[in-house]
Coordinates of all heavy atoms in Angstrom, one line a residue:
L29 N 103.0 91.3 -70.1 CA 102.4 92.6 -70.4 C 102.9 93.1 -71.8 O 102.1 93.6 -72.5 CB 102.8 93.6 -69.3 CG 102.2 95.0 -69.5 CD1 100.7 95.0 -69.2 CD2 102.9 96.0 -68.5
I30 N 104.2 93.0 -72.1 CA 104.7 93.6 -73.3 C 104.1 92.9 -74.5 O 104.0 93.4 -75.6 CB 106.2 93.6 -73.3 CG1 106.7 94.6 -74.4 CG2 106.8 92.3 -73.5 CD1 106.4 96.1 -74.1
L31 N 103.8 91.6 -74.3 CA 103.2 90.8 -75.4 C 101.7 91.1 -75.6 O 101.2 91.1 -76.7 CB 103.4 89.3 -75.2 CG 104.9 88.9 -75.2 CD1 105.0 87.4 -74.8 CD2 105.5 89.1 -76.6
Q32 N 101.0 91.2 -74.5 CA 99.5 91.3 -74.5 C 99.0 92.8 -74.6 O 97.9 93.0 -75.1 CB 99.0 90.7 -73.2 CG 99.2 89.2 -73.1 CD 98.8 88.6 -71.8 OE1 98.5 89.3 -70.9 NE2 98.9 87.3 -71.7
K33 N 99.9 93.7 -74.2 CA 99.5 95.1 -74.2 C 100.5 96.0 -74.9 O 101.0 97.0 -74.4 CB 99.3 95.6 -72.7 CG 98.3 94.9 -71.9 CD 96.9 95.2 -72.2 CE 95.9 94.5 -71.3 NZ 94.5 94.8 -71.6
S34 N 100.9 95.6 -76.1 CA 101.9 96.3 -76.8 C 101.6 97.7 -77.2 O 102.5 98.5 -77.5 CB 102.2 95.5 -78.1 OG 101.1 95.4 -79.0
E35 N 100.3 98.1 -77.1 CA 99.9 99.4 -77.4 C 100.3 100.4 -76.3 O 100.4 101.6 -76.5 CB 98.4 99.5 -77.7 CG 97.5 99.4 -76.5 CD 97.3 97.9 -76.1 OE1 97.9 97.0 -76.7 OE2 96.5 97.7 -75.1
I36 N 100.6 99.9 -75.1 CA 100.9 100.7 -73.9 C 102.3 101.2 -73.9 O 102.6 102.3 -73.7 CB 100.5 100.0 -72.6 CG1 99.0 99.6 -72.6 CG2 100.8 100.9 -71.4 CD1 98.6 98.8 -71.5
F37 N 103.2 100.2 -74.1 CA 104.7 100.5 -74.0 C 105.4 100.2 -75.3 O 105.0 99.3 -76.1 CB 105.3 99.7 -72.9 CG 104.8 100.1 -71.5 CD1 103.8 99.3 -70.9 CD2 105.3 101.1 -70.9 CE1 103.4 99.7 -69.6 CE2 104.9 101.5 -69.6 CZ 103.9 100.8 -69.0
D38 N 106.4 101.0 -75.6 CA 107.2 100.8 -76.8 C 108.4 99.9 -76.5 O 109.0 99.3 -77.4 CB 107.8 102.2 -77.3 CG 106.7 103.1 -77.6 OD1 106.2 103.1 -78.8 OD2 106.3 103.9 -76.8
G39 N 108.7 99.7 -75.2 CA 109.8 98.8 -74.9 C 109.8 98.4 -73.5 O 109.2 99.0 -72.6
A40 N 110.3 97.2 -73.2 CA 110.4 96.6 -71.8 C 111.8 96.1 -71.6 O 112.4 95.5 -72.5 CB 109.4 95.5 -71.6
I41 N 112.3 96.4 -70.4 CA 113.6 95.9 -70.0 C 113.4 94.9 -68.8 O 112.8 95.4 -67.8 CB 114.5 97.0 -69.5 CG1 114.7 98.0 -70.7 CG2 115.9 96.5 -69.1 CD1 115.3 99.4 -70.2
I42 N 113.7 93.6 -69.0 CA 113.5 92.7 -67.9 C 114.8 92.0 -67.5 O 115.6 91.8 -68.4 CB 112.4 91.6 -68.3 CG1 112.9 90.8 -69.5 CG2 111.1 92.3 -68.6 CD1 112.0 89.6 -69.8
T43 N 114.9 91.7 -66.2 CA 116.2 91.2 -65.8 C 116.0 90.2 -64.6 O 115.0 90.4 -63.8 CB 117.2 92.3 -65.4 OG1 118.4 91.7 -64.9 CG2 116.6 93.2 -64.3
D44 N 116.8 89.2 -64.5 CA 116.7 88.2 -63.4 C 115.4 87.6 -63.3 O 114.8 87.5 -62.2 CB 117.1 88.9 -62.1 CG 118.6 89.4 -62.1 OD1 119.4 88.6 -61.8 OD2 118.8 90.6 -62.4
G45 N 114.9 87.2 -64.4 CA 113.6 86.5 -64.4 C 112.9 86.8 -65.7 O 113.4 87.5 -66.6
G46 N 111.7 86.2 -65.9 CA 111.0 86.5 -67.1 C 110.6 85.2 -67.8 O 111.5 84.3 -68.0
Y47 N 109.4 85.1 -68.3 CA 109.0 84.0 -69.1 C 107.6 84.3 -69.6 O 106.7 84.9 -68.9 CB 108.9 82.7 -68.3 CG 108.5 81.5 -69.2 CD1 109.3 80.9 -70.1 CD2 107.1 81.1 -69.1 CE1 108.9 79.9 -70.9 CE2 106.7 80.0 -69.9 CZ 107.6 79.5 -70.8 OH 107.2 78.4 -71.6
A48 N 107.3 83.9 -70.9 CA 106.0 84.0 -71.4 C 105.8 82.7 -72.2 O 106.7 82.1 -72.8 CB 105.9 85.2 -72.4
S49 N 104.5 82.2 -72.1 CA 104.2 80.9 -72.8 C 104.3 81.0 -74.3 O 104.3 82.1 -74.9 CB 102.8 80.5 -72.3 OG 101.9 81.3 -72.9
E50 N 104.4 79.9 -74.9 CA 104.4 79.8 -76.3 C 103.2 80.4 -76.9 O 103.2 81.1 -78.0 CB 104.6 78.3 -76.8 CG 104.8 78.2 -78.2 CD 105.2 76.7 -78.6 OE1 104.9 75.8 -77.8 OE2 105.7 76.5 -79.7
D51 N 102.0 80.2 -76.3 CA 100.8 80.7 -76.8 C 100.8 82.2 -76.8 O 100.3 82.9 -77.8 CB 99.6 80.2 -76.0 CG 99.3 78.7 -76.3 OD1 99.7 78.2 -77.3 OD2 98.6 78.1 -75.4
N52 N 101.3 82.8 -75.7 CA 101.3 84.3 -75.7 C 102.3 84.9 -76.7 O 102.0 85.9 -77.3 CB 101.8 84.7 -74.3 CG 100.6 84.7 -73.3 OD1 99.5 84.5 -73.6 ND2 100.9 84.8 -72.0
V53 N 103.4 84.2 -76.9 CA 104.4 84.7 -77.9 C 103.7 84.6 -79.3 O 103.8 85.5 -80.1 CB 105.7 83.9 -77.9 CG1 106.6 84.2 -79.0 CG2 106.4 84.1 -76.5
K54 N 103.1 83.5 -79.6 CA 102.5 83.3 -80.9 C 101.3 84.2 -81.2 O 101.1 84.6 -82.3 CB 102.0 81.8 -81.0 CG 103.1 80.8 -81.2 CD 102.6 79.4 -81.0 CE 101.7 79.0 -82.1 NZ 101.3 77.5 -82.0
S55 N 100.7 84.6 -80.1 CA 99.5 85.5 -80.3 C 99.9 87.0 -80.3 O 99.0 87.9 -80.5 CB 98.5 85.3 -79.2 OG 99.0 85.6 -77.9
F56 N 101.2 87.3 -80.2 CA 101.6 88.7 -80.2 C 101.3 89.4 -81.5 O 101.7 88.9 -82.6 CB 103.1 88.8 -79.9 CG 103.7 90.2 -80.1 CD1 103.6 91.2 -79.1 CD2 104.4 90.5 -81.2 CE1 104.1 92.4 -79.3 CE2 104.9 91.8 -81.4 CZ 104.8 92.7 -80.4
T57 N 100.7 90.5 -81.5 CA 100.5 91.4 -82.7 C 100.8 92.8 -82.3 O 100.4 93.3 -81.2 CB 99.1 91.2 -83.2 OG1 98.1 91.6 -82.2 CG2 98.8 89.8 -83.7
S58 N 101.3 93.5 -83.2 CA 101.6 95.0 -83.0 C 101.8 95.6 -84.4 O 102.4 95.1 -85.3 CB 102.8 95.2 -82.2 OG 103.1 96.5 -82.0
K59 N 101.2 96.8 -84.5 CA 101.4 97.6 -85.7 C 102.7 98.4 -85.7 O 103.1 98.9 -86.7 CB 100.2 98.6 -85.9 CG 98.9 97.8 -86.2 CD 97.7 98.8 -86.3 CE 96.4 98.1 -86.6 NZ 95.3 99.1 -86.7
K60 N 103.3 98.5 -84.5 CA 104.6 99.2 -84.4 C 105.6 98.3 -83.9 O 105.4 97.2 -83.4 CB 104.4 100.4 -83.4 CG 104.1 99.9 -82.0 CD 103.9 101.0 -81.0 CE 103.7 100.4 -79.6 NZ 103.5 101.5 -78.6
D61 N 106.9 98.7 -84.0 CA 108.0 97.9 -83.4 C 108.0 98.1 -81.9 O 107.8 99.2 -81.4 CB 109.3 98.5 -84.0 CG 109.6 98.1 -85.4 OD1 108.9 97.2 -85.9 OD2 110.4 98.8 -86.1

């Protein structure tokens, strides 16, 4: 979600799990931090 919908949230805290594919990471774009 934080990679695909960066306009919705400014930050995410994830714990005891989590993974995003290489394609999703490479396709991440955002005009803000």
Side-chain angles (χ1 to χ4, degrees):
L29 180 70
I30 199 66
L31 295 172
Q32 297 172 352
K33 303 285 186 179
S34 60
E35 73 280 3
I36 301 173
F37 293 98
D38 299 274
I41 303 166
I42 64 173
T43 180
D44 295 276
Y47 179 78
S49 69
E50 188 172 17
D51 288 342
N52 281 349
V53 172
K54 288 169 66 175
S55 63
F56 171 80
T57 59
S58 177
K59 295 180 180 180
K60 64 179 182 180
D61 288 339

